[in-house]
Amino acid sequence: MKFSVSREALLVPLQLVAGVVERRQTLPVLANVLVVLENETLSLTGTDLEVEIVARLPLENPVQDTGEITIPAKKLVDICRSLPDGATVEFILQEDQKVIVKSGRSRFTLATLPSNDFPSTEKSEGDLQFSCSQSIIKRLIDRTAFAMAQQDVRYYLNGMLWEVEGNRLRCVATDGHRLAMCVRELDIDVPEKSQAILPRKGVIELSRLLNDQEAQIDLTLGTHHIRVDTPNYTFTSKLVDGKFPDYERVLPKGGTNVVLGNRTELKQAFARTAILSNEKYRGVRLNFTEGLLNIVANNPEQEEAEEQVVIDYKGDEIEIGFNVSYLQDITSVLNTENVKITLSDANSSALLEEPEEGDSVYVVMPMRL
């Protein structure tokens, strides 16, 4: 097996594929990337048995050759990164199953493992298949991913719910203290509700792949796997086997106190008060009065930060505590001029959304301060 490829064409897909590979593996072959040459196309595959990414790139100098081998992922990425711009990288698989990587005056000899040892994801036919633009999936992830739990014992929270019903795709993430939800319309009609929980790593890796906003992707939702096909990549992830909480019950209903505030001013005020909040609990006290929001943060060193923001509010006075990091996350992902906050009382969750017909809603539980 022998082929050459430009450094620029190889580096980006190689980095994306190698991003899935875990360094500490029980199976040595999982630290490698599978390289398959089929005439004019080179494909690279990385997996950790949960998430798999296959990248395909056409060769500029097609060769009438086929072959496959696995090469250490991190070493290959480091070699390609270290080569100068515009370099051409040549691969030669020797009879002793070592791979020689040559470029200019540089030469590297790498150990390999046979491709037969490399695990492959079974290509099961999905229950639900549809196509949409990358921008839709990218927005759904960007608007909700920050609310996923990290290493929670409730393993089903360490991921994102994907729900397809009618002509809508809904993504929901929660860590038990806050919830993020975004809904987009698709050109499909699914009579029955279909749900899947994509694990945290799968969400992050999929987001990295979506870089061409207008390009179409094909999405397949099965009982155990989700598969996303783009022109250059195939992404497959196992789904989390668990029941996601009923998010409908979490959404506050019937809040009568509606606040409108400038998103940028609120975001900056939260950032400044966060400086003197308790580093562990990150609590700030919000005092809503007619036309004015007072934000106060304290910490164990008896220090205090106070901010005042002019708001559009005409209800009763409400004093309520929140984790300031949650409020910062929400004001960072929204991009409208104003943000709408709906409250019932000082002990109820707050609902944050865009004032006009938006596609995202956020729920934050209060804190006792």
Side-chain angles (χ1 to χ4, degrees):
M1 184 171 88
K2 181 178 178 181
F3 64 91
S4 61
V5 60
S6 73
R7 172 187 178 270
E8 281 66 31
L10 179 64
L11 189 57
V12 173
L14 180 60
Q15 285 176 317
L16 285 167
V17 166
V20 181
V21 175
E22 299 284 348
R23 296 216 192 138
R24 297 185 190 87
Q25 287 288 4
T26 47
L27 288 170
V29 76
L30 291 180
N32 286 13
V33 59
L34 173 66
V35 178
V36 180
L37 175 66
E38 281 188 81
N39 298 329
E40 298 175 8
T41 305
L42 180 70
S43 69
L44 309 167
T45 306
T47 182
D48 65 352
L49 296 181
E50 297 288 321
V51 177
E52 178 191 89
I53 294 179
V54 183
R56 295 173 294 277
L57 58 151
L59 293 176
E60 295 138 20
N61 309 314
V63 287
Q64 294 304 310
D65 196 2
T66 57
E68 51 185 56
I69 197 71
T70 77
I71 304 174
K74 184 178 184 306
K75 290 173 186 169
L76 190 55
V77 170
D78 289 346
I79 288 169
C80 290
R81 272 202 196 121
S82 65
L83 294 172
D85 293 345
T88 297
V89 190
E90 189 179 356
F91 289 78
I92 304 162
L93 178 61
Q94 296 182 299
E95 287 182 10
D96 62 359
Q97 296 303 296
K98 284 201 164 75
V99 161
I100 294 176
V101 180
K102 291 200 299 187
S103 180
R105 295 183 179 180
S106 308
R107 177 189 168 103
F108 307 87
T109 306
L110 293 172
T112 66
L113 287 169
S115 58
N116 303 344
D117 298 351
F118 199 82
S120 64
T121 311
E122 65 272 19
K123 293 283 183 275
S124 56
E125 283 307 307
D127 304 337
L128 179 64
Q129 295 178 307
F130 60 88
S131 299
C132 64
S133 73
Q134 286 194 21
S135 56
I136 289 179
I137 303 298
K138 181 79 171 159
R139 182 179 175 89
L140 286 164
I141 292 175
D142 289 349
R143 283 290 179 105
T144 53
F146 67 86
M148 291 187 292
Q150 291 193 55
Q151 297 176 327
D152 198 296
V153 289
R154 298 163 294 181
Y155 59 91
Y156 47 83
L157 297 185
N158 302 320
M160 180 185 290
L161 174 72
W162 290 47
E163 181 182 274
V164 185
E165 188 178 18
N167 66 339
R168 294 178 160 209
L169 172 58
R170 178 181 285 110
C171 284
V172 187
T174 179
D175 60 8
H177 304 287
R178 54 173 169 180
L179 178 141
M181 182 170 84
C182 185
V183 186
R184 301 292 287 177
E185 290 192 354
L186 304 169
D187 294 330
I188 55 168
D189 188 15
V190 181
E192 291 196 9
K193 187 188 289 186
S194 180
Q195 288 190 335
I197 304 173
L198 184 57
R200 181 183 179 84
K201 182 173 180 178
V203 173
I204 292 165
E205 293 299 336
L206 178 56
S207 180
R208 289 172 64 211
L209 286 184
L210 303 175
N211 52 15
D212 183 355
Q213 294 290 307
E214 300 310 312
Q216 286 287 108
I217 57 171
D218 298 318
L219 214 140
T220 307
L221 220 51
T223 45
H224 303 294
H225 288 86
I226 183 171
R227 194 168 78 246
V228 178
D229 286 297
T230 75
N232 301 319
Y233 297 97
T234 297
F235 164 91
T236 311
S237 172
K238 282 186 178 174
L239 298 173
V240 177
D241 185 15
K243 179 128 180 66
F244 202 79
D246 183 1
Y247 61 86
E248 297 276 7
R249 287 175 52 197
V250 178
L251 300 173
K253 308 278 194 303
T256 51
N257 299 297
V258 178
V259 181
L260 273 179
N262 182 284
R263 184 187 63 85
T264 308
E265 287 177 15
L266 286 169
K267 179 183 169 184
Q268 291 170 352
F270 293 143
R272 288 191 290 266
T273 45
I275 296 166
L276 296 187
S277 66
N278 183 315
E279 286 181 14
K280 187 175 180 185
Y281 300 108
R282 309 286 289 161
V284 293
R285 192 177 291 109
L286 274 59
N287 186 272
F288 294 92
T289 55
E290 195 166 315
L292 200 65
L293 167 61
N294 213 42
I295 309 168
V296 180
N298 301 91
N299 61 26
E301 289 81 49
Q302 306 294 311
E303 296 168 328
E304 183 177 273
E306 187 174 350
E307 285 277 340
Q308 289 189 330
V309 181
V310 175
I311 53 171
D312 182 357
Y313 176 62
K314 296 183 173 60
D316 303 331
E317 183 177 338
I318 296 178
E319 186 169 87
I320 187 167
F322 288 114
N323 180 320
V324 70
S325 300
Y326 298 167
L327 300 174
Q328 285 178 278
D329 286 342
I330 295 168
T331 48
S332 294
V333 295
L334 291 174
N335 51 17
T336 49
E337 185 183 348
N338 294 321
V339 60
K340 178 179 166 187
I341 306 171
T342 309
L343 300 155
S344 293
D345 53 52
N347 302 310
S348 304
S349 299
L351 184 74
L352 288 85
E353 57 193 323
E354 292 145 319
E356 296 75 38
E357 290 293 311
D359 58 8
S360 313
V361 292
Y362 303 92
V363 181
V364 183
M365 289 178 67
M367 284 177 78
R368 282 207 177 92
L369 295 174

